[in-house]
Amino acid sequence: MQFNLFSKWPIKSGYPFLIAGPCSAESEEQVLLTAKELMKTPVNLFRAGVWKPRTRPNSYEGSGEQGLKWLREAKLQTGLPITVEVASPAHVELALKYGIDVLWIGARTMVSPFAVQSIADSLSGIDIPVIVKNPINPDLDLWIGGLERIYNNGIKQVAAIHRGFSTYDKSKYRNKPLWEIPLELKRRFPDLPLLCDPSHIGGKRDLLLPIAQKALDLNFDGLMVEVHPSPDNALSDSEQQITPSAYSDLLNQLIIRKRNAEDSFAFSSLEELRNIIDKLDEHLLETLAERMEYAEKIGLFKKENDIAIFQPERWNDVIKRVKLIAAEKNLSEDIILKIFDFIQKESIRKQSGVMYGQSEIIKIKSH
Ligand code: PEP
Ligand code: MN
């Protein structure tokens, strides 16, 4: 997949790309007031849900088509482009009817490939940006699958939003960030715009700033924040919504770092340091290759002298020794043990190759 960058979006954007607005469009006054207040702060896209996926029935389930009319009015009065959540082809049809600029697929919908595919099918031949939240369960492949379903159906303006993951164990977060998952997505698809939704990760106002800051420090492309004129009275997600002025304070408090060090003095210093790292990586690999040559020599010796390949005492001695050295050199024991687990398994693999030939190699899975 080759994703488009925000620079190719029909929406003007700076950095970070900012989406803000209420969890739900509750009334015309609430929508218009929020949009007008947000116009005084940096914002690229106005968000609001009109169909709300709720955990239990008989909760507020959104304003539906009427909400779309309020959003259209907000766009007319402020010029802000609008995004809403869609969960079915019927939602897509209505959103398009009311001139919604960007669609987003929510975390609950993302767990169902049938639902995502039906949304993708309903978008055939339509050129509208789609933002894909992560599924509520921590499953990177499912997230990528959802992005692919949309992208493969011809929607080329795709972005992803990290909104945290639901886990059975409790934590201070409403949805655990598990940052390694969005980072792996970004590593695999560097061109895919990746935003963070600190509101649904935190679930509480005081967590928004540290989460948003962390996202920017990790080079996320933007943020989606829930903003409501009177958060305590919100009909959904009241604990995590913030007022437009708190949103403005949040943005002021964020440290916006350079995304890379190009065109600055810092760049040449960074390059120098990176060159040293590259040299050290070469040394590491040379040393590793040499270590493996010796492992093979030992394999040959064991073969000629009928000695078993796997010697648990030796394995444990190596681990004991590297633990001591790691402590001396202030290296994390956990990481060093993982690395040496791989190295020793690779040594056994090499030695078994010497003993039996390539076809009978012993592979030990790493955990
Ligand atoms: C929302 O953004 O209001 C929402 C329902 O989000 P999510 O799908 O991430 O739960
Ligand atoms: Mn919400």
Side-chain angles (χ1 to χ4, degrees), residues 124-365:
S124 275
I126 295 162
D127 189 20
I128 186 166
V130 177
I131 311 180
V132 178
K133 284 197 168 191
N134 63 263
I136 39 181
N137 52 321
D139 184 338
L140 177 59
D141 279 341
L142 193 57
W143 194 0
I144 293 175
L147 287 156
E148 282 170 337
R149 286 176 200 281
I150 300 298
Y151 187 83
N152 292 345
N153 233 56
I155 299 286
K156 300 298 176 212
Q157 301 170 99
V158 189
I161 294 193
H162 169 227
R163 50 78 75 201
F165 301 92
S166 174
T167 54
Y168 189 64
D169 52 321
K170 289 285 158 254
S171 77
K172 67 173 175 174
Y173 301 105
R174 179 178 176 197
N175 291 289
K176 270 197 180 171
L178 306 178
W179 295 100
E180 63 278 12
I181 297 179
L183 291 190
E184 175 60 14
L185 179 72
K186 191 72 173 167
R187 193 189 66 75
R188 289 205 217 163
F189 306 105
D191 287 343
L192 172 69
L194 175 62
L195 284 76
C196 175
D197 169 349
S199 306
H200 289 89
I201 293 176
K204 282 182 240 42
R205 283 163 213 151
D206 57 351
L207 288 178
L208 298 197
L209 178 62
I211 298 167
Q213 184 64 58
K214 182 140 192 193
L216 294 188
D217 293 346
L218 292 171
N219 223 340
F220 275 57
D221 298 279
L223 302 168
M224 178 192 254
V225 180
E226 285 191 339
V227 177
H228 190 289
S230 172
D232 287 338
N233 300 315
L235 299 179
S236 59
D237 287 351
S238 70
E239 281 175 42
Q240 69 196 33
Q241 301 207 61
I242 53 174
T243 60
S245 82
Y247 169 75
S248 166
D249 290 346
L250 173 82
L251 296 184
N252 286 331
Q253 287 175 72
L254 281 173
I255 301 166
I256 315 274
R257 301 184 199 283
K258 289 192 204 72
R259 308 209 67 194
N260 50 47
E262 268 158 30
D263 70 53
S264 66
F265 163 72
F267 189 58
S268 57
S269 318
L270 191 62
E271 277 298 270
E272 254 172 53
L273 296 173
R274 283 179 174 162
N275 286 339
I276 296 174
I277 292 267
D278 288 349
K279 279 270 164 309
L280 290 170
D281 282 348
E282 276 167 37
H283 286 316
L284 271 177
L285 290 170
E286 276 161 18
T287 307
L288 204 53
E290 203 176 333
R291 193 194 193 283
M292 291 306 157
E293 272 172 36
Y294 278 93
E296 283 182 333
K297 281 189 185 143
I298 289 178
L300 200 58
F301 184 85
K302 286 178 180 166
K303 182 180 180 183
E304 283 163 358
N305 295 281
D306 288 332
I307 301 171
I309 295 178
F310 180 50
Q311 302 283 333
E313 299 79 16
R314 171 63 184 157
W315 182 296
N316 292 334
D317 285 347
V318 170
I319 295 298
K320 240 189 256 162
R321 217 174 138 263
V322 297
K323 260 191 190 174
L324 284 176
I325 303 175
E328 257 169 42
K329 301 208 176 289
N330 219 356
L331 293 164
S332 139
E333 180 177 306
D334 196 33
I335 300 294
I336 295 301
L337 290 185
K338 279 194 185 123
I339 293 176
F340 272 84
D341 186 61
F342 277 116
I343 291 180
Q344 301 226 81
K345 283 172 180 162
E346 177 62 7
S347 287
I348 293 215
R349 203 181 69 84
K350 290 263 186 214
Q351 292 185 27
S352 66
V354 171
M355 200 164 281
Y356 316 119
Q358 292 305 308
S359 56
E360 295 293 332
I361 266 178
I362 300 177
K363 285 188 198 147
I364 316 177
K365 259 203 147 153

